[in-house]
Amino acid sequence: SLTIRGGEKARKTMLLRALQFHARAAYKKGESKEKVLERLKTDQFVGLYVSCMRLLDRLGSRTEKLNEPYARLFAAYAKEALQGVRHLQEIDKTLVNKSYYRHVAEAVSDYLSGCLDLLSVGSGYELERRLQTILVRLSQGERGFSLVGHPSAAFPHLAEAIAKCSPLWTEGYILFLLDDVSTRYLREANIEEILSTLI
């Protein structure tokens, strides 16, 4: 069965959340900036977290086919990456490339149709706002955005762009963490399609 019991789901979510960049970059009690940076350098990965609850249609129905799930995931992970960069900036601005948002904007426009205007953004905040608008429009059932090509090519391309955002991330892995892939939120057929496509 694809249904996950409450206790198991909570443990899985806690594990994924613990791998998320924000959790790894958070100051623990009594920690110095140097200690946090040492942990991030040792990790050699950047965890970006997205929940499948974001893939539900506008009415929250589990009975219909999902509207552009891969486009939605792609935009959501790009947005999460920008938030991760901002978190890293708060710790040490020197560890973030000034043109970081251009790398992400180019990757998104390369694989998401209807997004060429992203190439003209002037800041990470502006790019994040536009990605949020795309996500809202997709959640409302709009068809103006779709993933061009297969996810097996699109997501590694996005990962390469994210790695360019900081010298701290250049040699590390970009982990796309996906939570709530269960029949609690999605139809079994949708789950099978998502897993077979992404894995």
Side-chain angles (χ1 to χ4, degrees):
S1 170
L2 291 167
T3 304
I4 298 172
R5 293 193 301 272
E8 291 176 0
K9 187 234 180 273
R11 287 193 293 272
K12 180 174 62 68
T13 296
M14 287 176 64
L15 172 62
L16 292 176
R17 286 289 194 182
L19 293 173
Q20 186 180 21
F21 178 77
H22 297 299
R24 304 299 299 161
Y27 284 88
K28 296 177 183 175
K29 187 175 180 180
E31 270 192 330
S32 65
K33 166 185 167 180
E34 291 71 27
K35 187 68 176 176
V36 174
L37 291 175
E38 181 185 336
R39 177 169 61 249
L40 295 177
K41 289 174 183 174
T42 303
D43 278 350
Q44 296 185 331
F45 70 87
V46 180
L48 305 175
Y49 176 95
V50 169
S51 168
C52 265
M53 286 189 287
R54 293 174 181 264
L55 298 178
L56 292 173
D57 70 5
R58 58 186 167 181
L59 300 178
S61 170
R62 297 189 304 120
T63 61
E64 299 176 11
K65 188 170 177 65
L66 299 172
N67 179 44
E68 300 291 351
Y70 310 110
R72 293 165 81 171
L73 274 176
F74 196 71
Y77 282 121
K79 182 177 165 235
E80 287 297 310
L82 294 173
Q83 292 175 347
V85 170
R86 193 159 56 250
H87 193 159
L88 184 57
Q89 280 179 318
E90 291 172 2
I91 299 169
D92 190 337
K93 290 182 180 179
T94 66
L95 289 174
V96 174
N97 296 326
K98 290 182 180 179
S99 61
Y100 74 91
Y101 58 91
R102 290 196 182 101
H103 297 303
V104 178
E106 288 173 8
V108 174
S109 64
D110 285 345
Y111 277 92
L112 203 58
S113 66
C115 292
L116 288 177
D117 63 320
L118 295 183
L119 297 174
S120 64
V121 298
S123 70
Y125 288 104
E126 183 182 355
L127 178 57
E128 187 178 340
R129 282 194 302 272
R130 293 201 191 182
L131 287 170
Q132 182 59 42
T133 299
I134 289 168
L135 287 167
V136 169
R137 290 172 64 183
L138 283 168
S139 72
Q140 293 171 341
E142 287 196 27
R143 304 283 183 179
F145 310 97
S146 60
L147 200 66
V148 179
H150 196 273
S152 63
F155 285 91
H157 185 68
L158 179 60
E160 288 174 11
I162 293 167
K164 293 177 183 175
C165 292
S166 169
L168 198 64
W169 297 351
T170 305
E171 300 300 321
Y173 292 95
I174 307 300
L175 305 180
F176 296 112
L177 308 172
L178 185 59
D179 198 9
D180 299 316
V181 188
S182 79
T183 52
R184 182 179 178 188
Y185 301 106
L186 302 171
R187 276 198 318 152
E188 190 167 321
N190 288 332
I191 293 173
E192 290 173 355
E193 181 184 337
I194 288 171
L195 292 180
S196 64
T197 301
L198 295 179
I199 296 176

